[in-house]
Amino acid sequence: MSREVGEVSSAINSRPATKRQRTNEEPNRVMQNDDLWLEESLYQSYLSRERLLELRDTARRLCTFGKGITACDESASTLGQRFTQVGIADNTVENRRSYRTCLLDTPGIEQYLSGAILDPETLLQKSCHTDGMFPHVLKGRGIIPGVKPHLKVYELPGTGGDTVMQGLDSLAVRARDYYRAGARFAKWRSPLVMDNTTTTNKRPTLLAIQSNMKDLARYALICQSEGLMPIVEPDIVLQGTHTLQEAVRTNIQVQSELYKAMLEHGVYMAGCTLKPNMVLPGIDCPQSYTVEQIAQANVFVMEQCLPAAMPGVNYLSGGQSLEQALARLNAINICAQEKKLPWNLSFSWSKAIQLPLLETCVTQGNMDLDAIGKLYLKELKLASDASKGEYTPPNTNEGAHNGKNF
């Protein structure tokens, strides 16, 4: 470079920045020092900066590697049915509180749990161990308390049995109350049934898919505006004869509709998580599949449509035994790790974990809380191992689907 050119270049670079230069540089400084500047500008009409940070932090903490969410959100009537099946005659408030104390206040559960989903009844109860309110007890253990805000299902006329969940009209007021009571996230389930046995009345219908997914999006938006991090739960139930391939297609259709609705509603995607069914053949499907094929199907569905902004997935058990759910979650994580997928993949199980606990009561007719607590810790440890891809199934065929021939 000649001396003259060098001097000109130096002079230009040493001049004070023009207004245009300063304006162009300012966003770069903002982006370097503030990773929420874009979200704040997009959602400022209904989510403050503090709310965005809280929602994102809750989602990330729930998706802690090696930890899952315990689902203790059964209604009083559902829990009463489980009590009856094992010989516990009295479905009283105190019996339910004692049982849930085991699930929420057993020492050591914090090693394996990041969150706990509560029924509204439990949200307002005290632990039998410490006399502290359950949300306070959970927070003391580093576990985030959540709540189930949906109400009863309603059958959509003309769909052959498809349903929607009720409770959206009163959700904002209840969500505000739940937040004041200590809940920091919520979970809304939208169950769908697959039925491909007829060509004229296949289920789920498009009406049911769109109605349920828009309801989930609206629920998520309302919860976020009231401070609750929403878990969305599209649940394609296990019953049916559908193949794994058919399950893949339907799960992609349902989840794609869900994310589209969430984006259209303006949901903050980094401030919510997913609780789906595992992608499985129908329980009466005549075709057999290995656990590795089931894992590949679940990973494939995520690759096709799950937004990278959402930090994680907590699978429901959906009628699987604990052994099946453990083996399949473990295989899914091994497959996902090989592909370096960005999401934390863990558990949020109710029946799979709780039914073996209640079976300890069969011979006694009452709850042995000490035995329940010890078994609960063992189950959570196994679930944690599976969420890391470190679980060793008792046999190599565990988690496979063995086809039923009629």
Side-chain angles (χ1 to χ4, degrees):
M1 180 184 294
S2 68
R3 180 179 177 182
E4 292 81 0
V5 173
E7 289 174 348
V8 171
S9 176
S10 177
I12 291 173
N13 291 333
S14 65
R15 289 175 186 168
T18 64
K19 181 177 180 181
R20 182 172 181 177
Q21 285 174 319
R22 287 195 298 271
T23 303
N24 288 341
E25 290 169 0
E26 189 64 29
N28 291 330
R29 287 198 294 272
V30 172
M31 283 167 39
Q32 290 170 6
N33 300 324
D34 182 4
D35 65 346
L36 266 182
W37 71 271
L38 185 57
E39 289 95 327
E40 195 171 4
S41 64
L42 291 172
Y43 300 100
Q44 61 184 342
S45 63
Y46 63 96
L47 293 177
S48 66
R49 176 182 178 81
E50 291 72 23
R51 184 56 49 82
L52 285 167
L53 283 168
E54 182 181 23
L55 293 170
R56 188 179 69 174
D57 179 64
T58 299
R60 289 179 175 178
R61 286 173 57 203
L62 282 177
C63 295
T64 299
F65 181 69
K67 293 188 177 183
I69 301 171
T70 188
C72 310
D73 57 332
E74 304 84 7
S75 66
S77 60
T78 298
L79 195 51
Q81 292 170 13
R82 293 185 185 177
F83 283 171
T84 300
Q85 289 170 358
V86 296
I88 301 172
D90 297 325
N91 180 27
T92 63
V93 171
E94 280 307 302
N95 267 350
R96 294 195 296 272
R97 185 168 78 99
S98 296
Y99 174 63
R100 283 173 169 151
T101 294
C102 279
L103 302 180
L104 304 173
D105 201 11
T106 292
I109 59 173
E110 63 274 7
Q111 301 173 73
Y112 314 116
L113 294 177
S114 58
I117 308 170
L118 311 181
D119 182 76
E121 175 187 71
T122 314
L123 189 70
L124 304 175
Q125 287 180 328
K126 293 181 178 180
S127 167
C128 297
H129 290 168
T130 61
D131 203 37
M133 301 297 288
F134 277 124
H136 178 74
V137 169
L138 289 165
K139 288 179 181 178
R141 294 190 178 279
I143 300 170
I144 305 173
V147 65
K148 175 194 70 179
H150 62 71
L151 303 179
K152 301 292 184 180
V153 295
Y154 170 76
E155 185 172 326
L156 283 170
T159 62
D162 281 332
T163 61
V164 289
M165 196 67 74
Q166 299 180 91
L168 281 173
D169 53 348
S170 61
L171 179 59
V173 174
R174 290 184 292 114
R176 203 169 302 140
D177 290 340
Y178 297 150
Y179 187 92
R180 290 184 187 131
R184 289 299 177 264
F185 72 94
K187 185 273 300 183
W188 185 288
R189 175 176 177 253
S190 290
L192 295 166
V193 175
M194 280 188 68
D195 184 358
N196 296 333
T197 55
T198 66
T199 57
T200 56
N201 193 26
K202 290 187 176 182
R203 294 173 60 201
T205 59
L206 182 59
L207 171 63
I209 293 172
Q210 292 178 339
S211 297
N212 277 282
M213 297 310 105
K214 287 178 180 177
D215 283 354
L216 278 174
R218 187 170 153 209
Y219 139 81
L221 185 68
I222 293 170
C223 281
Q224 287 187 338
S225 70
E226 299 299 335
L228 297 177
M229 196 288 300
I231 297 177
V232 288
E233 183 181 0
D235 177 13
I236 300 174
V237 300
L238 192 56
Q239 69 189 66
T241 59
H242 52 273
T243 66
L244 184 58
Q245 293 88 332
E246 289 170 332
V248 166
R249 282 194 290 269
T250 300
N251 275 272
I252 291 174
Q253 179 187 14
V254 168
Q255 290 190 29
S256 297
E257 199 72 46
L258 169 62
Y259 307 134
K260 178 176 180 288
M262 291 172 73
L263 291 168
E264 288 176 343
H265 278 69
V267 174
Y268 176 42
M269 301 300 278
C272 55
T273 62
L274 179 69
K275 180 177 176 176
N277 55 278
M278 286 188 187
V279 181
L280 297 167
I283 194 169
D284 294 319
C285 173
Q287 187 171 339
S288 295
Y289 298 94
T290 67
V291 69
E292 289 80 15
Q293 289 174 318
I294 289 171
Q296 290 163 3
N298 280 269
V299 166
F300 181 81
V301 169
M302 285 185 280
E303 288 177 318
Q304 301 313 300
C305 56
L306 181 58
M310 296 176 70
V313 173
N314 290 85
Y315 286 102
L316 57 91
S317 54
Q320 302 174 84
S321 68
L322 179 60
E323 293 74 19
Q324 289 174 325
L326 287 168
R328 290 165 179 170
L329 178 60
N330 187 69
I332 291 169
N333 270 286
I334 291 173
C335 184
Q337 289 165 13
E338 290 173 351
K339 294 199 168 198
K340 295 182 170 56
L341 298 191
W343 306 285
N344 186 69
L345 309 177
S346 191
F347 62 92
S348 180
W349 298 337
S350 171
K351 270 181 148 182
I353 283 180
Q354 290 189 41
L355 291 188
L357 301 180
L358 290 170
E359 286 172 5
T360 63
C361 309
V362 171
T363 58
Q364 302 179 50
N366 56 53
M367 286 183 283
D368 184 340
L369 300 180
D370 184 57
I372 289 175
K374 289 178 180 177
L375 179 57
Y376 184 46
L377 278 177
K378 291 179 181 178
E379 291 180 337
L380 291 179
K381 171 64 167 62
L382 295 176
S384 172
D385 289 345
S387 74
K388 296 182 285 188
E390 297 175 359
Y391 170 70
T392 303
N395 62 74
T396 57
N397 197 44
E398 194 69 65
H401 172 79
N402 298 314
K404 295 183 178 181
N405 295 311
F406 299 97

